[in-house]
Amino acid sequence: MCMRSLAVIVCLWSTSYLQAAELEWIQVSADGKSFVTAESQQRFVLWGFNYDHDRKSRLLEDYWDKEWQEIEADFAEMKALGANVVRIHIQFGKFMSAPDQPRKAALKKLGDLLELAEQTGLYLDLTGLGCYHKQDVPDWYDALSDQGRWEAQTHFWSAVAKRCAGSPAIFCYDLMNEPVVHGGKKKGTDWLGPGFAGKHFVQRITLSPDERTRPEIAAAWIKTLAQAIREQDSKHLITVGMVPWSLERKGLQSGFVPEKVSAHLDFICVHLYPEKGKVDEAIETLKGFDIGKPLVIEETFPLKSSPEEFEQFMLESRKYAEGWIGFYWGQSLQEYQQGTTISDAIMARWLEFFKQNGPRFKETQ
């Protein structure tokens, strides 16, 4: 283990079990507008990281069997930076060997992750049904009909929810990252959207034309998966990660119109990256997702804006959001500060902002 990993673990080891004992279940507040701890009824504001890949761009399941100590170090470091939630992305193909057969070994490792989260004092936003790497998608899964695919997805979520039901470390189940409903009049040919940096983040939930409207299909899909979860777990929150073009506006639309699909969601999530010179536009988009349920910016980062504009967006978004989840990729703030590339500088500034502003964003507004 590197000295960075050892130092962080030693720093937090003495307090980890105390934090685990204090980890309360999270629920939606009585007025339906925010999150609170179940016992003490203290407001809970999300401040955390997408832990979607490591510094080598590997997904979690690619290395959690042989490099568990690195994951422990990463969790400790995220906690030290001030995070209270970590978004985990798990792939369908790594958890299912057949449409109705979950992989026991994967569920066991998920259990290990729950224990680590409890010990570290971090909540998990558990995002499922990932197909980020095409090579990890089973051929039989791609060959299923729309209905067959939905049924396989219910088996995935049933198995995952059954394994996680008893853990207070689960903040929520995110049904899928950036789903869209097929919008063509002809049958589609690919379940996955275009790749980005070697990964496929957008995924279609249907390929066949349907007489129902796209929001009706999206709402039916959410209900189907939520019911599968609720048969195993009646307490943890459920959401889905929506793209900003889910709103009913001219141009590209996902079909996941917030006010039309959210009956079976406990809160709303949007992935929003402000663009240069368009901070006001990003805030207007965020307002479109504010439909009376808690609203979380589940993905954000200074990807398309200057650091100054990004910070402006973050500050102005406090009027609407109950949580923010950025990115952490297994590399420390100190390592980025010592780096020589533009990306190193961007990540260093982001992590500095995250560490310095955590108390301000997590406090009651």
Side-chain angles (χ1 to χ4, degrees):
M1 185 191 307
C2 67
M3 292 303 296
R4 186 272 302 184
S5 303
L6 181 61
V8 176
I9 287 180
V10 170
C11 176
L12 292 176
W13 189 256
S14 62
T15 60
S16 63
Y17 290 101
L18 176 61
Q19 291 164 341
E22 296 176 347
L23 204 60
E24 293 189 47
W25 292 68
I26 304 297
Q27 62 188 30
V28 174
S29 61
D31 64 7
K33 297 180 180 180
S34 60
F35 306 109
V36 294
T37 53
E39 295 180 9
S40 61
Q41 290 293 295
Q42 296 297 307
R43 186 176 180 187
F44 181 79
V45 178
L46 284 75
W47 187 246
F49 295 111
N50 279 272
Y51 185 53
D52 56 328
H53 63 77
D54 70 351
R55 65 179 68 199
K56 300 177 183 178
S57 200
R58 297 178 300 175
L59 300 175
L60 187 62
E61 301 105 326
D62 294 335
Y63 59 95
W64 68 357
D65 283 327
K66 297 181 179 179
E67 299 179 32
W68 189 254
Q69 287 183 325
E70 285 300 311
I71 297 172
E72 290 177 326
D74 289 343
F75 266 64
E77 188 165 357
M78 286 187 280
K79 181 69 175 181
L81 286 166
N84 57 20
V85 64
V86 177
R87 186 175 180 224
I88 299 296
H89 303 249
I90 55 177
Q91 292 198 103
F92 178 90
K94 295 289 187 176
F95 273 74
M96 301 295 292
S97 60
D100 60 350
Q101 294 295 321
R103 298 182 188 273
K104 294 181 180 180
L107 291 171
K108 182 180 183 303
K109 291 304 295 185
L110 179 58
D112 294 340
L113 196 69
L114 295 176
E115 292 182 8
L116 175 60
E118 292 172 8
Q119 292 170 1
T120 313
L122 287 168
Y123 291 95
L124 299 181
D125 172 340
L126 189 60
T127 300
L129 300 178
C131 292
Y132 302 114
H133 288 170
K134 268 197 170 184
Q135 66 269 25
D136 294 333
V137 180
D139 291 339
W140 55 260
Y141 187 45
D142 278 345
L144 294 174
S145 65
D146 292 2
Q147 186 60 39
R149 197 167 172 100
W150 287 22
E151 290 176 1
Q153 291 167 356
T154 65
H155 288 294
F156 169 97
W157 272 120
S158 178
V160 170
K162 183 177 181 179
R163 182 62 190 85
C164 297
S167 174
I170 292 293
F171 169 74
C172 73
Y173 303 115
D174 179 338
L175 300 177
M176 181 185 284
N177 184 73
E178 301 182 353
V180 301
V181 181
H182 177 64
K185 295 182 179 180
K186 296 181 179 180
K187 184 177 176 63
T189 59
D190 196 340
W191 293 102
L192 304 182
F196 177 79
K199 295 178 173 57
H200 296 264
F201 297 104
V202 174
Q203 187 175 166
R204 297 177 180 87
I205 64 168
T206 58
L207 286 183
S208 301
D210 196 303
E211 293 182 358
R212 294 172 295 178
T213 67
R214 296 175 75 199
E216 285 175 337
I217 296 169
W221 177 80
I222 289 172
K223 180 180 179 180
T224 298
L225 298 191
Q227 288 179 337
I229 290 173
R230 289 292 176 239
E231 290 176 0
Q232 304 294 337
D233 183 346
S234 62
K235 295 179 67 174
H236 287 121
L237 306 179
I238 297 174
T239 192
V240 66
M242 299 185 194
V243 290
W245 34 280
S246 294
L247 302 179
E248 287 187 307
R249 295 174 172 174
K250 290 183 178 181
L252 195 63
Q253 296 181 17
S254 74
F256 280 75
V257 183
E259 62 269 25
K260 295 183 178 181
V261 305
S262 62
H264 293 274
L265 299 179
D266 294 297
F267 66 99
I268 302 299
C269 277
V270 61
H271 300 172
L272 195 52
Y273 299 80
E275 297 184 20
K276 183 177 180 180
K278 298 182 179 180
V279 172
D280 291 344
E281 183 178 312
I283 294 297
E284 283 299 311
T285 296
L286 181 63
K287 288 169 62 177
F289 288 84
D290 186 15
I291 62 170
K293 293 189 175 188
L295 174 58
V296 172
I297 303 175
E298 194 182 36
E299 285 186 21
T300 193
F301 191 72
L303 181 67
K304 303 177 182 179
S305 65
S306 69
E308 293 79 13
E309 288 174 311
F310 178 74
E311 292 174 15
Q312 177 190 348
F313 164 76
M314 291 287 287
L315 293 171
E316 292 187 15
S317 69
R318 296 180 72 208
K319 300 175 185 177
Y320 310 100
E322 291 294 320
W324 298 260
I325 306 180
F327 288 88
Y328 170 87
W329 294 313
Q331 196 163 329
S332 71
L333 171 58
Q334 292 72 24
E335 288 174 302
Y336 284 119
Q337 289 171 331
Q338 295 168 7
T340 59
T341 68
I342 294 176
S343 61
D344 287 336
I346 292 173
M347 279 300 297
R349 181 154 182 173
W350 152 244
L351 292 179
E352 288 167 354
F353 175 86
F354 184 91
K355 185 175 183 179
Q356 293 170 4
N357 287 276
R360 174 164 51 162
F361 277 78
K362 288 185 286 186
E363 70 184 8
T364 301
Q365 301 175 31

